[in-house]
Amino acid sequence: MSTASILHARGDITPPLRPLLRGIRAESIFLKRSLLLSMRDGESLLMAIMLPVLLMLLFTFVFGGAIDPSGGYVDYVVPGIILLCAGFGASSTAVNVANDMRNGIIDRFRTMPLRAGAVLTGHVIASLARNLVATAIVIAGALLVGFRPQAELWGWIGATLMIALYILTITYLFAAIGLAASSAEAANGFGFIILFVPYLSSAFVPVDTMPEWLRWIAENQPVTPIIETVRALLFGTPLGDSALWAVGWCLGILAFSIAWGARLFRRKAGRR
């Protein structure tokens, strides 16, 4: 036996620490993990697509005639349905993060040479990719039932970027909720509250048809300017100041969610 082996056996030599994974390698590993988990949980992805599509059909064919007898209600409601689709898809992130925090796998991750925040990044980016695909399917379904946007190429690009920013924002928020919740069931319950917000916006009816007290809420919450921005981009109407409010709300909530999530992850993962 060599001298080094003898010293190592006696504990006189500390084994070298494995270096941290550099660049975005850790994030790419957890992104792959989250995508594989999504593919194995096809029911959640299917429900994230089916629920918005069913709501679109409900509002278009059941309520649409009463709201807009001209038959053009589908053009009004689809931008709101797109954001609902994003919310339904992103809500699973809260449950997935809550499960990761409580099933013991975080203990294994902490022994590996990687940045702890990469776990959250993998969940968020996988959810973004998953929800963009779901959004495309919802838009395709809307086109089949009469949705006729009039946007040029730049309008579609702008609307896509706005939707992607919203998905990224709400997904990070759901990830932070998953960290804060005491269980996956609690995370799912808190997520439902977030999913209810679009119903109190201009998603389904113009805000000027609401009672005055409710109109103030609808006009001063983040979803309304985001929906109005997507509508304007898809139909070539003036943006006004809705785009600035939409981007401002998204960036503000995103910054808060990232900071809150990082603090919660350090605190909870660090004491395990």
Side-chain angles (χ1 to χ4, degrees):
M1 182 180 294
S2 65
T3 303
S5 300
I6 295 173
L7 292 174
H8 185 275
R10 290 170 50 190
D12 295 333
I13 294 180
T14 302
L17 295 176
R18 291 177 292 177
L20 284 173
L21 296 178
R22 299 186 179 277
I24 60 171
R25 188 177 176 188
E27 283 76 8
S28 65
I29 291 172
F30 281 103
L31 172 59
K32 181 179 179 181
R33 171 181 177 264
S34 297
L35 288 173
L36 288 174
L37 289 175
S38 298
M39 293 175 65
R40 294 171 184 169
D41 188 15
E43 292 86 355
S44 296
L45 179 60
L46 181 62
M47 290 302 297
I49 298 171
M50 290 300 298
L51 282 177
V53 169
L54 292 175
L55 281 174
M56 178 177 62
L57 296 177
L58 174 68
F59 277 91
T60 300
F61 294 112
V62 179
F63 304 137
I67 297 173
D68 184 2
S70 68
Y73 182 64
V74 64
D75 289 335
Y76 182 88
V77 78
V78 166
I81 294 295
I82 291 172
L83 297 196
L84 277 180
C85 173
F88 281 124
S91 63
S92 63
T93 304
V95 177
N96 292 337
V97 171
N99 282 329
D100 271 358
M101 293 301 296
R102 285 155 188 86
N103 64 11
I105 198 169
I106 296 298
D107 293 330
R108 294 184 61 189
F109 292 156
R110 290 180 63 230
T111 66
M112 300 178 183
L114 49 84
R115 292 177 296 280
V119 181
L120 291 184
T121 303
H123 278 301
V124 170
I125 301 303
S127 178
L128 175 62
R130 195 170 57 235
N131 283 309
L132 286 175
V133 172
T135 299
I137 295 173
V138 170
I139 292 175
L143 292 172
L144 291 176
V145 299
F147 180 54
R148 295 295 179 265
Q150 302 166 5
E152 302 291 339
L153 176 62
W154 290 110
W156 277 104
I157 292 174
T160 302
L161 291 175
M162 185 73 255
I163 293 167
L165 178 59
Y166 174 76
I167 293 173
L168 181 65
T169 298
I170 196 171
T171 303
Y172 255 114
L173 179 58
F174 275 119
I177 290 173
L179 289 170
S182 58
S183 65
E185 292 76 14
N188 193 40
F190 290 133
F192 179 78
I193 298 174
I194 304 298
L195 294 177
F196 189 72
V197 174
Y199 293 96
L200 301 178
S201 70
S202 63
F204 300 105
V205 294
V207 296
D208 55 14
T209 65
M210 301 177 183
E212 186 173 349
W213 64 271
L214 187 57
R215 185 188 315 163
W216 185 89
I217 295 174
E219 290 176 342
N220 294 279
Q221 55 113 320
V223 176
T224 292
I226 297 171
I227 290 175
E228 294 303 322
T229 299
V230 173
R231 278 200 187 106
L233 290 168
L234 289 178
F235 289 94
T237 57
L239 282 170
D241 60 354
S242 63
L244 291 176
W245 279 106
V247 173
W249 271 111
C250 284
L251 293 180
I253 296 172
L254 180 60
F256 166 78
S257 301
I258 292 174
W260 184 34
R263 180 174 178 273
L264 286 171
F265 193 90
R266 286 195 300 268
R267 189 181 71 189
K268 290 197 171 186
R271 70 186 184 200
R272 293 178 70 87

